[in-house]
Amino acid sequence: MDVVDESAMTNEAAFARACLSLVGGVNSPVRSFNSVGGVPFFVREGHGSYVIDVEGRRYLDYIQSYGAIIHGHGDPRISSAIEEAARKGTTFGAPTLGEVMLAEQIKAKVPGVELVRLTSSGTEATMTALRLARGATGRSKIIKFEGCYHGHSDALLAASGSGVASLGLPASVGVTPAAVHDTVVLPYNEVPQIGEDVAAVIVEPVAANMGLVPPEPAFLSQLRALTTQAGALLIFDEVITGFRVADGGASTLFGITPDLWCFGKVIGGGLPVGALAGREELMVQLAPTGPVYQAGTLSGNPLATAAGVVALEQLSLSSYRKLTGRAEQLSLGLTKVIQEADLAVQVQRVNSLLGIFFADEPVTNYRQAVASVERGIYPYFFHAMLRRGVALAPGPYEILFPGLAHSVDDIDKTIDIASAAAVEARDLWHRTGRG
Ligand SMILES: *Cc1c(COP(=O)(O)O)cnc(C)c1O
């Protein structure tokens, strides 16, 4: 193995080397710079609100592992919990108390959750939610909403946002018509008709993978009422909103109790964890107590549960007040300075979640999100910010994740930088003749 001298390493060299052994140089397409152009920075380490790349450049980081990090990078409480767990062995294939503790935390924080199944990713949680819904109802159809991302399982890849949208794909090649035959895709924020053949409606209660699109006031309550009426299940995909948008997530924020919840990201404290949760009567239909099969060699992994338990334990009501305060400061500041640069902007926010649309009007669905993205301003803004030391996600459909490590000064600095970046982005964009 060759020794890498990190002091001499450049992002270009790292990326060129990565491309020789990893597809496209990355292990998840959202990390590539395909939709903004250029070469990704390779992270050497992260501390709090910052990451440092292999060239030694520091960036104020709003990616925060797409929401898996809420306490900031390298949180010492989480890192020592992982170290302590690692000294005792990394995986056993027998149950551990860490799994129980993480499930207990989820139950304690989310009213309505009675039983939990831990997985290793959000994708596994949503995949299992569909299987359980179909098993429990004996029905086949699933309703999902355009621009909502529910992981990369075949049946849910139809018209999803996030990386699929950034790559300009309606869905993925390799997903057969049969695999999505029972997936009905409808516009977000429009209350659907729910037939007697529908097993479940799955929704991001706050859409956060087509930029940030809040639910309209009656949307979620109507979904709740209509699914109940039709005998279908309501699945809240809270992989992003869970333990982030509010204490107890979106279901407590909006006062709407779904039948099943999917969690991920925050609940792993930066390690791979997902969870499916719900009422006992439904959850017991999973194996080993019921006939709906689901499994995972590393599900409830001791390192991951150790990290997750500490991450959740450290979240209190005051954490959410702080998060929301930071996000509000950021959204007001960004709106002001981007407007001052004569660019139409909508910084859309629900508590601590926010996203930037370069658009004249508020964005309420995927079609409008695409129209805003197609104006083509984001890549210029992204690079103008990155050059000045602020890392946004390298894709226009991703949101910003201000976390508990972002200080008021961090946010002020971000807004100052955005002021210059918006002017530069506007000028470069105008030069393309599109503005
Ligand atoms: C990230 C995400 C997923 C998928 O989770 P993975 O851990 O990446 O598999 C599912 N749903 C939503 C809403 C997400 O944001």
Side-chain angles (χ1 to χ4, degrees), residues 127-142 197-200 231 233 235 260 276 281-287 290-293:
M127 233 168 72
T128 305
L130 297 198
R131 189 178 305 136
L132 177 56
R134 286 167 166 158
T137 59
R139 302 173 178 185
S140 306
K141 295 267 185 240
I142 302 291
D197 53 352
V198 173
L233 302 186
I235 305 169
L260 294 170
L276 175 63
E281 149 233 347
L282 279 173
M283 292 298 292
V284 292
Q285 302 198 36
L286 285 175
V292 178
Y293 194 71

Side-chain angles (χ1 to χ4, degrees), residues 113-267:
V113 168
E114 292 172 353
L115 285 174
V116 175
R117 166 61 52 88
L118 296 178
T119 62
S120 297
S121 66
T123 296
E124 290 169 77
T126 56
M127 233 168 72
T128 305
L130 297 198
R131 189 178 305 136
L132 177 56
R134 286 167 166 158
T137 59
R139 302 173 178 185
S140 306
K141 295 267 185 240
I142 302 291
I143 292 178
K144 83 171 280 287
F145 297 98
E146 218 177 359
C148 284
Y149 179 66
H150 302 295
H152 57 90
S153 71
D154 282 6
L156 286 167
L157 262 187
S160 45
S162 190
V164 193
S166 291
L167 294 175
L169 303 174
S172 171
V173 169
V175 174
T176 63
V180 291
H181 177 263
D182 289 320
T183 308
V184 180
V185 184
L186 297 171
Y188 194 77
N189 272 329
E190 281 178 36
V191 177
Q193 301 218 315
I194 302 172
E196 303 276 296
D197 53 352
V198 173
V201 174
I202 184 167
V203 65
E204 285 184 78
V206 177
N209 284 286
M210 52 169 147
L212 197 282
V213 177
E216 301 210 323
F219 181 55
L220 298 174
S221 57
Q222 289 283 335
L223 289 183
R224 178 64 287 180
L226 293 176
T227 43
T228 304
Q229 220 171 68
L233 302 186
L234 179 61
I235 305 169
F236 273 8
D237 181 349
E238 296 223 43
V239 172
I240 282 186
T241 53
F243 306 95
R244 179 175 285 278
V245 76
D247 191 45
S251 62
T252 41
L253 177 65
F254 297 113
I256 292 163
T257 308
D259 299 290
L260 294 170
W261 288 257
C262 302
F263 296 111
K265 299 194 170 118
V266 167
I267 66 163

